[in-house]
Amino acid sequence: MSDQQPLVLVVNSGSSSVKFKLLPADGSSPLLSGIAESLCTSGPARLIVRQNGERFTEELTSTGHQNALRAILSLVKSNGWIKRVRAVGHRVVHGGERFTESARITPEVIRNIEACTDFAPLHNAANLLGIRACSELLPSIPQVAVFDTAFHQTMPVEAFTYAIPQRFYRDHGIRRYGFHGTSFRYVSERAVELLGLDPDDHGLVIVHLGNGASACAVRNGKSCDTTMGFTPLEGLVMGTRSGDLDIGAAAQIGRVAQLNLAGVEALLNRDSGLLGISELSSDFRTLEDAADFGDQSAELALDVFTHRVVRYIGALATSLTRFDGVIFTGGIGENSARLREMVLNRLRAFSFVLHAQTNRRMVGGACGRIDRGSHTQAWVIPTDEEAMIARDAIRIAGLHQQGLLRAA
Ligand code: AMP
């Protein structure tokens, strides 16, 4: 990599942390990555950094997002890289119906992100803190917003409409939006390359299984249905989120536990999912270990998780006109050979035949096909949301047109 290669800073600003990656525009490995955490607590904030395969921690003298970003930028400066930073890419959780693709940040774009804040109050407000801090600290560098929801804006109306009085959609925007869009976009583009598909005639079901989990049907590069809804609570079972639940059951929980709506919402977001079923942990690996030692609740949690994934792969396939592949991604999808085996064994009606040995090798960032020549292929493709954000930032900042890049 040339020392003159432009750099992109990718920022994922959450409510109490800022994750970052400094990426060369040619797509090579990050020069720097890490997380500033505990930004809103009374305890000391700290910066955990990875550089050249090493990890080190710095105590931050003050809290807040702007101070965290100042510390991150002074690290970039001390390494002599600041002049090469040509764009900043920001993850933004909710773009509502206003954003169908990534956008260069302007005062109007900021107003539109603010207008979507009601849909994801904690997330969008935190994303805006990062955007404002970077705009102040790097005023002459283009800032680009990349939305989790944007990829799903191609869903047809019958897929995004909830069967509720339509005034709630018209007046309050209540509909399915879907999330993990940056991951689905990255993985679907990789899948077209790896599976050798026709970009204009293919169909995929991608399951992004991590602490948050969702699945997406992709037809000819476009999302046509997804499992998450108005918020990231709907759909698959997740670490601490219930996924689908009869609202009648939710109302009864409220009555028996004497919780108001906000209390029920918190219970379904924070105390449910794998954690709620197992009463042990939200962490998939911990539950696999516990199940191996005979813990029946852990085993039940894994079974319910698997059942929901299988059910949705079947359901989403009906949105496709051809079914070329199921793709596993996310921390669980990329690392749990056991989960993938359980899922594919239960999808026999789709004629999947697992290649057990290859499946066991596909862990820790490996990428490859795990079926034995089925008509519909099964693959593990690691996601890279930061690479996608950096790519959008490069394109929208116009680094190609400025002749700053050879081939990215
Ligand atoms: P993510 O949110 O994408 O970082 O994924 C986090 C989830 O991936 C957690 O539930 C982890 O337990 C799970 N995970 C990570 N590594 C493994 C592994 N080797 N085997 C099973 N699950 C894993």
Side-chain angles (χ1 to χ4, degrees):
M1 187 200 55
S2 141
D3 276 357
Q4 297 317 310
Q5 187 63 227
L7 303 175
V8 181
L9 180 65
V10 173
V11 175
N12 180 356
S13 176
S15 50
S16 66
S17 70
V18 175
K19 292 189 196 138
F20 67 95
K21 251 186 196 177
L22 185 65
L23 292 158
D26 64 358
S28 51
S29 309
L31 298 178
L32 205 61
S33 65
I35 180 167
E37 57 184 21
S38 306
L39 300 179
C40 298
T41 55
S42 51
R46 53 188 193 150
L47 182 62
I48 302 167
V49 181
R50 277 182 199 279
Q51 185 175 6
N52 298 327
E54 310 252 318
R55 186 188 133 111
F56 58 91
T57 303
E58 241 181 60
E59 289 256 319
L60 297 176
T61 45
S62 39
T63 54
H65 288 67
Q66 181 143 21
N67 287 318
L69 280 157
R70 197 169 273 134
I72 292 164
L73 289 176
S74 79
L75 207 59
V76 175
K77 210 177 271 175
S78 67
N79 280 283
W81 292 323
I82 197 80
K83 288 208 170 72
R84 286 167 52 200
V85 175
R86 296 293 162 78
V88 181
H90 295 269
R91 175 185 180 218
V92 179
V93 168
H94 218 305
E97 288 186 331
R98 291 161 197 258
F99 293 101
T100 55
E101 56 186 359
S102 304
R104 184 161 177 165
I105 290 169
T106 61
E108 192 195 345
V109 165
I110 290 188
R111 276 195 298 279
N112 280 324
I113 297 174
E114 278 168 343
C116 299
T117 296
D118 273 355
F119 295 159
L122 294 179
H123 286 112
N124 270 30
N127 301 152
L128 280 166
L129 286 175
I131 290 173
R132 290 207 169 94
C134 284
S135 307
E136 275 172 45
L137 295 167
L138 296 171
S140 57
I141 304 298
Q143 314 273 329
V144 172
V146 180
F147 301 89
D148 277 14
T149 47
F151 183 61
H152 300 298
Q153 281 297 304
T154 48
M155 276 190 290
V157 62
E158 66 273 18
F160 73 66
T161 300
Y162 286 133
I164 54 173
Q166 285 301 284
R167 64 179 182 280
F168 291 104
Y169 170 54
R170 284 191 302 271
D171 301 345
H172 303 285
I174 311 285
R175 50 157 282 182
R176 177 183 310 287
Y177 289 98
F179 298 85
H180 288 140
T182 311
S183 171
F184 290 129
R185 187 155 57 99
Y186 176 84
V187 172
S188 62
E189 287 180 14
R190 287 283 290 144
V192 168
E193 287 164 26
L194 291 163
L195 279 70
L197 303 174
D198 178 347
D200 299 318
D201 187 21
H202 65 266
L204 301 165
V205 174
I206 304 173
V207 289
H208 177 120
L209 308 174
N211 200 31
S214 71
C216 179
V218 179
R219 192 167 66 213
N220 307 336
K222 295 190 165 72
S223 168
C224 51
D225 201 359
T226 190
T227 56
M228 282 180 170
F230 178 69
T231 73
L233 179 58
E234 195 180 346
L236 302 179
V237 175
M238 302 173 226
T240 61
R241 287 175 233 156
S242 62
D244 290 346
L245 181 78
D246 178 358
I247 189 68
Q252 183 67 356
I253 289 170
R255 283 190 287 269
V256 297
Q258 300 196 328
L259 293 170
N260 61 17
L261 269 180
V264 174
E265 195 179 18
L267 178 125
L268 298 178
N269 271 298
R270 293 193 218 129
D271 305 331
S272 302
L274 293 172
L275 174 65
I277 303 172
S278 68
E279 300 180 311
L280 175 70
S281 173
S282 61
D283 187 276
F284 203 82
R285 203 171 355 180
T286 304
L287 296 179
E288 285 186 334
D289 293 344
D292 287 341
F293 279 97
D295 185 320
Q296 296 200 341
S297 303
E299 195 162 339
L300 178 64
L302 301 182
D303 287 346
V304 176
F305 184 94
T306 305
H307 177 83
R308 192 80 59 89
V309 171
V310 169
R311 184 183 191 198
Y312 266 117
I313 291 173
L316 290 170
T318 63
S319 291
L320 305 175
T321 46
R322 48 180 290 157
F323 191 10
D324 295 293
V326 168
I327 319 288
F328 293 88
T329 195
I332 300 168
E334 292 168 28
N335 291 296
S336 175
R338 174 191 193 140
L339 177 275
R340 296 189 302 249
E341 182 169 351
M342 292 196 298
V343 169
L344 292 181
N345 283 344
R346 290 200 33 191
L347 282 171
R348 285 252 167 78
F350 288 90
S351 314
F352 284 107
V353 185
L354 180 77
H355 196 301
Q357 250 178 334
T358 325
N359 182 43
R360 279 194 289 274
R361 282 206 306 274
M362 290 299 151
V363 291
C367 176
R369 186 171 177 178
I370 55 171
D371 67 279
R372 287 180 181 272
S374 327
H375 175 69
T376 302
Q377 304 182 32
W379 281 71
V380 178
I381 301 182
T383 192
D384 193 341
E385 288 163 277
E386 289 88 1
M388 198 79 230
I389 293 173
R391 238 188 265 169
D392 280 6
I394 288 165
R395 180 174 49 81
I396 290 171
L399 300 193
H400 288 286
Q401 285 94 322
Q402 293 166 30
L404 286 166
L405 286 182
R406 288 178 299 281

